């Protein structure tokens, strides 16, 4: 099967971002999520850090919340919505783009990427954080034939033709700004409900998002509450050895 591997020339372009954004680019060995945290205080909101990798679309964006940390973490769902919307715009038709709670992105039933959220160490739940950083990864190519035990997928192998990292980053930034507008007009609960629409749900279970971002799952077996903070700390979708989404 022919594989549409991203061309190296694609990485020479720079994203055209909405007004107010600033771009920081790193070489392939860089870490967008860590770098964005390191410069967040000085760089400020809407700074987007991009690593020029050909195998993974990797970037992070700095956010400046105006609510206390316990509420502001709902921005994770806002950014995940933007990430899924960016992928859905460019994917082949009629393929599901879903979430696995709280931070994994599933495409056509395979893990394709995920998001992470960071905030300053020592910031209390009732304090307003100086910044939040949302980091994202999408696998551009698996660089290997599909194996039976493989649960991850890549854009190249899934038919994303003529799509590169720059396209996805530009789309993410536009959807993020649209999401912020909806947040300001309708509130964070509407953002969380929109995220729930894409949740890979268990049949017979009703799901809700609490004010602090925790997931509440209600079924005949009872009520289960899952901590957003603990789940974000695990980032179960991330292979820390390879530095990319798990295969």
């Amino acid at each position: 099967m022919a594989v549409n591997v991203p061309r190296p020339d694609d990485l020479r372009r720079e994203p055209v971002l909405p007004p107010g954004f600033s771009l920081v680019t790193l070489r392939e060995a860089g870490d967008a999520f860590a770098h964005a945290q390191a410069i967040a205080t000085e760089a400020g909101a809407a700074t987007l850090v991009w690593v020029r990798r050909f195998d993974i679309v990797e970037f992070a964006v700095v956010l400046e919340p105006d609510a206390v940390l316990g509420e502001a973490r709902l921005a994770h769902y806002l950014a995940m919505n933007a990430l899924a919307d960016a992928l859905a715009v460019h994917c082949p038709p009629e393929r599901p783009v879903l979430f696995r709670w709280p931070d994994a992105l599933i495409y056509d039933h395979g893990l394709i990427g995920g998001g992470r959220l960071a905030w300053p160490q020592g910031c209390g739940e009732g304090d307003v954080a100086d910044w939040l950083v949302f980091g994202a990864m999408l696998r551009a190519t698996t660089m290997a034939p599909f194996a039976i035990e493989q649960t991850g997928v890549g854009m190249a192998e899934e038919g994303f033709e003529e799509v590169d990292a720059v396209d996805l980053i530009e789309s993410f930034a536009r959807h993020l700004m649209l999401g912020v507008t909806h947040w300001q007009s309708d509130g964070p609960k509407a953002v969380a409900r929109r995220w729930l629409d894409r949740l890979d749900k268990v049949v017979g279970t009703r799901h809700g998002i609490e004010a602090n971002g925790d997931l509440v799952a209600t079924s005949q077996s009872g009520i289960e509450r899952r901590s957003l903070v603990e789940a974000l700390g695990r980032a179960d979708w991330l292979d820390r050895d390879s530095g990319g989404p798990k295969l």
Side-chain angles (χ1 to χ4, degrees):
M1 178 180 66
V3 174
N4 180 32
V5 178
R7 302 183 304 273
D9 287 351
D10 294 337
L11 301 181
R12 295 177 185 175
R13 297 190 297 127
E14 288 195 347
V16 178
L17 301 175
F21 276 83
S22 59
L23 179 68
V24 176
T25 60
L26 304 178
R27 294 182 181 274
E28 185 175 342
D31 183 328
F33 190 54
H35 190 78
Q37 294 174 63
I39 67 172
T41 300
E42 180 180 353
T47 298
L48 192 145
V49 180
W50 171 41
V51 178
R52 294 178 184 267
R53 298 178 63 170
F54 72 91
D55 58 333
I56 294 174
V57 182
E58 178 185 351
F59 60 93
V61 63
V62 179
L63 308 171
E64 287 188 357
D66 56 7
V68 298
L69 179 59
E71 300 172 8
R73 271 196 208 93
L74 287 169
H76 172 74
Y77 297 113
L78 167 72
M80 288 296 296
N81 286 341
L83 186 62
D85 287 340
L87 189 69
V89 164
H90 296 286
C91 75
E94 299 180 359
R95 300 282 186 90
V97 177
L98 301 173
F99 296 127
R100 186 174 297 151
W101 190 84
D103 49 8
L105 191 60
I106 308 301
Y107 175 73
D108 200 19
H109 309 294
L111 176 67
I112 198 168
R116 290 183 284 175
L117 191 74
W119 51 90
Q121 290 186 359
C123 181
E125 293 293 292
D127 299 329
V128 177
D130 292 335
W131 50 263
L132 299 174
V133 166
F134 176 80
M137 287 185 180
L138 294 171
R139 185 184 292 107
T141 174
T142 63
M143 298 295 292
F146 185 80
I148 294 177
E149 67 277 7
Q150 179 178 312
T151 59
V153 297
M155 291 189 296
E157 293 78 11
E158 292 293 326
F160 286 75
E161 298 180 358
E162 303 300 325
V163 180
D164 60 27
V166 173
D167 296 324
L168 287 162
I169 290 170
E170 290 175 345
S171 186
F172 168 83
R174 292 192 297 268
H175 283 103
L176 183 66
M177 294 304 296
L178 182 60
V180 169
T181 299
H182 290 161
W183 176 299
Q184 292 171 342
S185 62
D186 303 327
K189 288 184 178 180
V191 169
R193 285 195 299 270
R194 188 166 182 270
W195 182 91
L196 282 170
D197 289 341
R198 273 201 170 107
L199 178 62
D200 190 8
K201 301 179 179 69
V202 176
V203 177
T205 301
R206 183 165 52 87
H207 298 85
I209 301 294
E210 295 292 279
N212 68 345
D214 290 354
L215 179 75
V216 175
T218 305
S219 66
Q220 290 183 346
S221 301
I223 299 175
E224 178 186 7
R225 182 166 183 148
R226 303 176 188 174
S227 167
L228 176 62
V229 173
E230 292 178 5
L232 289 175
R234 292 193 303 270
D236 290 333
W237 61 270
L238 180 65
D239 184 336
R240 300 185 187 278
D241 292 331
S242 69
K246 291 179 180 177
L247 271 176

